[in-house]
Amino acid sequence: MSQPLYWPGRYFFYGIGNTPTVSLTRDLSPQTPANILLLGCGDPRNVLFTVYNEASGSERHLDITCSDMDPGIIARNILLLTMIIDNVPSSTMWNIFFDLKIDRGTYSTLTAHCEKLCQTSRSQSDWANSSYGSVLKFSTLHTLEEARRHWHLYVEMESLPSDRQKFLRDAFAMQSQEASEKSKGTIFSSARAAGPLMLMAISVYSEHMKHYARTGVSSTDPRVVTAATMINPTFAYSFVGEGCNVHYGTSPLTPFPSAELFGNAARALGMKDVVVSAQKQFGEWSDAFYTRVSSQPGSVALRFVLSEATALCRAFRDLNDDHRIQTATPISQWKATMLTFDNAQYSATGSLLSCAPTMFNVIDTSNLVDHVGYLNILVSTIPLRTVDGTIYTESLLYKGEDATKELTEQLFSDLGTVSLLLGVAPIDYLSNFFTRSNTHEIMLNKLADGGQFHQVTTWKSPMSADVPVDVQPSVTFDNMQLGTFLWDMYHRMFEEEDAMTYWAKHGANLKAISKSSLISYNRESFVLFLRLARSNLGLSVEDWGSVMERFLDLQEGDTTMPMDTVNRQDFHSHLYRYGVYTVPTYRGSLSRVGRFSQWSSVPQLVRIILTVPRSVLEEVFAESPNMATQTPILQCHVSGLWSMNAFSAVHAAFGRVSTLGSKASPRISFEEDRDGLKGRSPLVVSFTMPTQLLVNIEPQDQLKVNFSIRSTGASVMFTKKLGMNLNVYSAALLDEMQVQVLPESLSPSKISTPMLSKIAQHIGPSGPVVASFNEECEVVNWLSTRIDIQNPDVIHSYGSLGAIPEIKQLSPCTARITVSGISQMVIFPVPIRGEDNRLRLARKSLWIELLVPPSGPSQNGCMPTRPFPVVLASAMCPEIHAWNLHYVNLSRLPFLDCSRPTKLYKWLNPHIGSMMSTRERKERKRHEKDDLMFVKDTLHAIMVRSSGIQGGKARRLFSLMDKGTHNTDTLLFVNGLRFDQSAHTVVCDAFILPLTEAILERHDRPFTKLVNTANVEHIQLMEGEVASWKHLIPAFVERCRTWSHGQNCEYKTLGRIPLTEEIEHNPICSCGEGKDVEGMSKIAAWRPFAPYATRIALSPLFAVTYLEPILRDINSRRCWLCRGRGKPKLHECSKCRKVRYCGPECQKKDWAAHKKKCVKKSG
C-alpha cells in the first residue's frame, strides 16, 4: 500500500459531513454530462445539493460513483436516498440521518424501511429490478452485501443480548461525555457554515454544539429531546464494528450554509433559527432529488463502492488497462477482500446503456489529503481524469506553523514544477485569484489558535484553457537536472525520518511534534509518483535511465539521511515492481537455496506473509486505555546478525492463512475474520521485498521477519515495553508456520508515447519542449523549443538575407514565430511569459530556438493574454465553458437584504475588500499599474455602491468608463446582490448592455431619458483595464447562462472569445441577448433595453492565500500614540475607525491632534 500502515487504536466515524456543502458540477458548463467520482464520499450532502443546484428542467446526465471505506457510510447514504425516493417526510429523514438519539416512532420507521431494503437486496439482480435499481447501483457485490449486513444490524439492534445493549449504551454515553468535554468554551469549527458571517454566528453554533453533544438531538425543542430515548442504530456500526465512534466534533448543522440566515436577519438569532434553516434546506434538497429522479428517469445514476480511495483508483486504472473486472487490489487496509467490479456495469461486453464510467470529468476527494497526502491523491486520481477534467482537493488540518502555506509545503518542491510533471495545476495558482473566499478561514484559524484551516483547491490541466487536446507537446528535461530535482524532492519527503534532522527542524514547535506520526508517504508513494511523471513526460528508456542514474548517485553519496539506508531496499524493490527502473543488482540470477531450493526459478521479488499472534497484539496495544487508543505507524523489517532492512508498504488483515500448493510452487488461502480488531484471529501482514536479501546477504537461518512500530516523536510511550527497536513480534524466516514466502507479481508501467504537436509546420518541424531548471535545480525557469527550417522561402530570407524572426504570444500557452511573413505556432505545456522571450538563431545550420520563461503568479496573473479564459467547444469538450470562474445558478442563490446598510457594512465591506492581498492594497495606495488589481477595485466599487454601504443610496445602474478617453461602451443594470453560499461570497446579479451604434440609434430617446433620470454611476477604468473587462465580461456571462449557444454564435464563427478587446465594440456573442432578463422588465426605464441585454454574474476575485498574505497580521499593529502592542489589545477609534490606541489613556492624550481629522466613517 502506498501509505503507511496505522494501528487502528482510535477510529472516528464521520456519518455527517464536517465541511459546508458544494456543488459537484460547479466547473462544468450547464449541458455537459457529468461523470463524477467521489472519493471518501462521506454523507450525500454534495450529491443532494448538486441536484438541487441544477438549472430548472436541466437534462444533464449525472453519473456519480460514490466510494468510502466505511460500510456504515454506504449503508446510511443508501438508506437516506431510498427514503427520499419513497417520499418519506423530510422531518423523519432528518431525525434518522442526523440525530444520535431518536424517538420510538422514528425508530419504527427506520427499521421498517431497513427490512424493506433487506428484502430488496437479496441479490444484485433483485436490487437492479427494484424501484431503486435504476438510480442507485452497487459497483461491487461486496458493497451490496456489506450494506445489507448493516441494514440487518439496524433492524436487530433492539433485540441484542442485554450485555451488548449495555455496551452500546455505555459507548454512546462515553461519546456524549467526550463531546461535551471537547465543546467546553467557544467552538468555532461548525460556524464556517456561515462563511463571511462567521463572526456573527460563532456563539450560536458553539451553543448548539454543546446541546448536540449533551443530548444527541439536533432539535432544541424540550419535548423532542425528552422523547428521543433510543440509540440511533445507524451511528452504532462502522468500519471497526459495533460501538459509537462518532467524532466528538460532529455537528448536524455544518453541511448547511447559513450566510443568508445571519446576513438578512433583522433580530438576534438563536439555536432554533439555525436548526430550522438547516432542516428547511435539507427538505428542499431532498424534494429536488425526488422530483429529478421521478420526473426524469435515467437522468441520475449513483453507484456505490466500498473501498479505500487510492485502492479504488488503482483498481480503476487496472480495469482501464486490461479490462478485467476482478482485480488483485484489497479494498482497504485491515481488509482482505479484493475489488471485483459488477460484470453488468463494468465488463467490456456489457450493455452501453448500463456501462459505468471509469474515467471522470469531476473527481472530488473530500479532505482525504489530510490523511493520505496531496501527492498520493494526485498520483491516484490523475490517470482517471478526462483531458478536460477537474480534481478537487480539500484540507482541514495542517502540520506546519502557517496554515496558508500548507499546500506548497506538502508537495516538497516548487508547485509550478510539480504541476509540469503531473500535468495538472491549481487554477488559482495559474490565475492568481479564486472565486471562492476563505478569508473567514484565516480569521477562524487565528481565533481558534491554529485549530483548522479549510482549503479547497481546484486542479486542471494548464493547457485546457486554450490548447486543443490533439496538439499537446512532448516535454523533455536535461537528465542530470531532472534527476537532481527528483532527489531533492525525495530528500525533503523523507529527511525527517532521521531523529536529529527532525528535532533540529521542529524542536520548538509543539504542534509539529504532536503530529509527528501523521505521515502520509512511504517509498512506494514516491515510486508511484515517478511512474506517473515518467508516463506524462514520455521519456525514452535511455533518457529515463540517465535521470535515475543521477538520482541513485546522489542517493548513494548522501550522508544526511541515515535512515534512508535502512529503507533503500524497499525503494529499489518498488522501482522494479512497477517497472520504473531496474537497479544493477536486480539484473542477475539468484541462487535456489533455503526456502527457494525447490523453486523452478527464483524471482527478483517475493511477498513475505507474517502471522502475528493476537495475544502479542493484546499485550502491546490493549494493556491500558492509553495504549488502546494510540495509532502508531507500523512497519516490517527483515534483520540478521548484521543486516536490517525496513519495509513500509505493508498490508494487514485479521484472519487465518492456510498453505496450499507445494514447496516448489507455494500458494496460500486466507480466511478473513469479519470481526477484525474485535475478533479472535491473528493479524496477517504482508509486504514485498527483494529476494537477494534472503539469498545473498546472510544465511537464512540467521534472518528474522519483524513486525514493529516506526519510531516517531509520538511512539515514545511504547519504548518501555518494546525497547528502542519497538519490535512487536519476530519470527524466523525458516518458520513455515508463521512466515510464508511467495513469488511477487509485477505491475509494469505503461509508458505513453510522446504526443507530438499536430500543428501546421509552415517553417519546419519543431522538436519537443525542453524544460530547464535554475542553477539549484529547484524551479523550471526556461522552456525552449527548436524549429528546423525547411521552407525554401524562409531558408532564403533567414539564411541568406538575415531576416529577424518575430515573436507574438497568442494565448497563455501558445506563441507565433513569423519569418518574412511566414508564421508557425509553437505550443507549450504551461502558460508562458512571451514578452520575455529570447531567441537563439543558427543561420548556417538553419534552426530557430525560442526560449520563454514559464508564467508564475504575478501582479497581473499567470494567464497572459487571456486572464479569464472562456474555452471554445472541441471534440473532447463539446461545450463552451468558463475556465477559472465557477458556475452559479442565480435562481438558487438567495438575495441579500440591503435595507439595513449599517449592519450590512460591518461584514460586507471587509469581505469584498479581502479580495485584495496586502501587496495589492499597497499598490493601490501608490497608484501603481496592476491590471488584476484595477479589476478588483472596479468590482469593489460596483458591489459596495450597489449595496448602499458606501456613498449613500444603493445604485442600480453603472457605466464602465475609460479614464483616458472618457468613453463609455457598457452599462450594467443591477438586479441585486445574492449570497453564493457554497463559495462563501456574494454575487452581483446584473444585466449587461454593450452600447453599440445600432442600439443607440434605435433607442435614442429612451437612452437619453435613462442616462438623465436613472442616476447612472460612472465607474472609471484605469489604463489598460478596458481590455481586462472585455475578457472578464464573457466569463461572467458564461458562468450563469441558462441558455445554449446557437449554431450561428459569433464565438464559433470567429473562433475567439472575447470577440474584441477594443473599446466601443461588443466582446460577447448575441446568444444570450434578451434571455433570462425578466428582472429588467420590472423597471420601466430599463424595459426597452431588455431584448438587447445579457444576464451576468459578477463576483469578487479573491487573492490566493498560499501565494501571498491577505489579511494584515493584527499582531503587527501598534498604538498610534505610543507605538505599543495593546493592553492587552488595541482599540480602534469608534468614530473614524482608522487609528488604534492601547486604551482610553492614549486616546485622550492624542485627541487634541486627532479630532482635527477624525471623520465618522460612512455606513
Side-chain angles (χ1 to χ4, degrees), residues 321-558:
D321 286 344
D322 58 30
H323 308 294
R324 288 186 295 182
I325 62 172
Q326 187 168 358
T327 74
T329 304
I331 62 171
S332 70
Q333 285 287 14
W334 309 105
K335 301 292 180 182
T337 302
M338 300 296 172
L339 271 162
T340 301
F341 294 104
D342 177 48
N343 184 68
Q345 298 176 68
Y346 293 93
S347 172
T349 59
S351 167
L352 291 176
L353 296 176
S354 62
C355 186
T358 56
M359 295 290 290
F360 306 90
N361 55 1
V362 176
I363 302 177
D364 184 276
T365 66
S366 184
N367 66 318
L368 290 176
V369 294
D370 288 335
H371 312 285
V372 181
Y374 276 101
L375 282 175
N376 281 331
I377 286 295
L378 292 172
V379 168
S380 297
T381 55
I382 287 171
L384 306 182
R385 183 189 67 93
T386 59
V387 291
D388 62 330
T390 301
I391 298 171
Y392 298 114
T393 59
E394 292 184 50
S395 61
L396 274 172
L397 308 178
Y398 66 97
K399 303 172 186 177
E401 296 184 9
D402 187 348
T404 65
K405 301 297 185 288
E406 190 76 358
L407 169 60
T408 51
E409 291 173 358
Q410 288 302 306
L411 293 176
F412 305 102
S413 57
D414 172 62
L415 175 55
T417 305
V418 170
S419 298
L420 180 60
L421 294 175
L422 294 177
V424 297
I427 62 169
D428 47 0
Y429 172 85
L430 296 172
S431 308
N432 208 23
F433 71 83
F434 203 32
T435 52
R436 176 188 175 93
S437 171
N438 68 345
T439 309
H440 60 287
E441 289 292 335
I442 300 176
M443 293 188 291
L444 174 62
N445 182 258
K446 293 182 181 296
L447 288 170
D449 193 24
Q452 293 181 341
F453 183 77
H454 190 210
Q455 173 81 41
V456 178
T457 308
T458 303
W459 302 76
K460 293 184 179 182
S461 164
M463 288 186 292
S464 63
D466 71 329
V467 178
V469 175
D470 60 350
V471 295
Q472 295 185 44
S474 62
V475 182
T476 64
F477 288 80
D478 176 89
N479 298 332
M480 296 288 283
Q481 287 188 333
L482 181 57
T484 303
F485 173 83
L486 293 173
W487 163 252
D488 288 344
M489 187 175 177
Y490 176 93
H491 192 283
R492 281 191 282 276
M493 183 179 287
F494 298 115
E495 65 181 345
E496 293 184 12
E497 288 177 333
D498 176 59
M500 295 291 288
T501 303
Y502 183 86
W503 290 109
K505 292 182 66 174
H506 302 292
N509 186 349
L510 296 179
K511 179 183 177 69
I513 295 171
S514 68
K515 296 187 176 182
S516 63
S517 63
L518 299 181
I519 297 169
S520 301
Y521 304 102
N522 56 23
R523 267 55 183 189
E524 185 179 8
S525 309
F526 194 77
V527 168
L528 292 175
F529 166 74
L530 292 177
R531 180 174 74 163
L532 179 62
R534 181 191 177 187
S535 177
N536 286 345
L537 297 174
L539 298 181
S540 68
V541 174
E542 293 76 15
D543 282 337
W544 182 252
S546 178
V547 170
M548 290 306 301
E549 286 171 8
R550 170 63 174 170
F551 181 100
L552 294 172
D553 285 345
L554 291 169
Q555 184 181 42
E556 186 67 30
D558 179 72

Side-chain angles (χ1 to χ4, degrees), residues 1002-1022:
R1002 192 176 306 168
H1003 299 283
D1004 179 56
R1005 292 182 63 183
F1007 180 76
T1008 302
K1009 181 179 179 182
L1010 178 72
V1011 296
N1012 288 335
T1013 63
N1015 230 347
V1016 181
E1017 186 80 6
H1018 299 288
I1019 305 292
Q1020 287 193 344
L1021 304 185
M1022 307 303 287

Side-chain angles (χ1 to χ4, degrees), residues 797-811:
S797 62
Y798 175 78
S800 302
L801 303 180
I804 304 296
E806 298 175 355
I807 308 300
K808 182 177 181 179
Q809 185 167 356
L810 302 178
S811 66

